[in-house]
Amino acid sequence: MTIQQNRLSDPAVRAFVAAVNSHDRDAFLSLLTPDATMADDGSDRDLTEWIDREIFSSNGHMDVENESNDGRALVAQYRNDTWGEMRTRWQFDVDEDGRISRFETGQA
């Protein structure tokens, strides 16, 4: 069972999922603070390099299964052309302006 992206609770997270699924890199980057950071499986990564490799050059797509923490924590089936499909967790820090300052992902 998946949650339709337009029903996700947090507006920044909803826009993040929409940008990933529509492969809109510019919209994705506009959601982030200028100093945004990210981690994958507990290790900090270079954000620009990671999103290009794991999302935009490999046709990344998220099907959200559930959300918690007021919509700032997700469990999703994530797939891309490199790794196929896997169950993943996502955690977002959103600043007072509604922009994402950090996200963390990894296998669920």
Side-chain angles (χ1 to χ4, degrees):
M1 186 73 174
T2 60
I3 301 171
Q4 294 176 343
Q5 71 188 29
N6 63 348
R7 294 184 178 262
L8 294 172
S9 301
D10 186 275
V13 173
R14 184 170 54 241
F16 180 100
V17 173
V20 168
N21 290 348
S22 64
H23 310 289
D24 189 337
R25 189 178 188 278
D26 291 337
F28 182 96
L29 292 174
S30 75
L31 301 169
L32 306 177
T33 62
D35 59 348
T37 60
M38 64 86 52
D40 185 2
D41 283 328
S43 298
D44 278 13
R45 307 285 188 193
D46 178 283
L47 187 140
T48 303
E49 178 186 297
W50 189 91
I51 65 168
D52 286 342
R53 183 180 67 248
E54 301 291 338
I55 299 174
F56 296 106
S57 70
S58 60
N59 297 305
H61 187 87
M62 299 173 74
D63 289 319
V64 178
E65 293 180 358
N66 65 55
E67 63 177 2
S68 57
N69 191 27
D70 296 322
R72 293 187 178 174
L74 306 176
V75 173
Q77 287 293 331
Y78 185 79
R79 65 182 178 273
N80 67 25
D81 294 344
T82 304
W83 304 108
E85 187 166 322
M86 66 188 81
R87 194 163 189 252
T88 55
R89 58 173 172 69
W90 299 77
Q91 176 70 44
F92 299 89
D93 295 338
V94 180
D95 73 6
E96 58 278 350
D97 295 328
R99 294 175 78 193
I100 296 167
S101 59
R102 181 172 178 83
F103 68 92
E104 298 183 20
T105 187
Q107 294 206 37

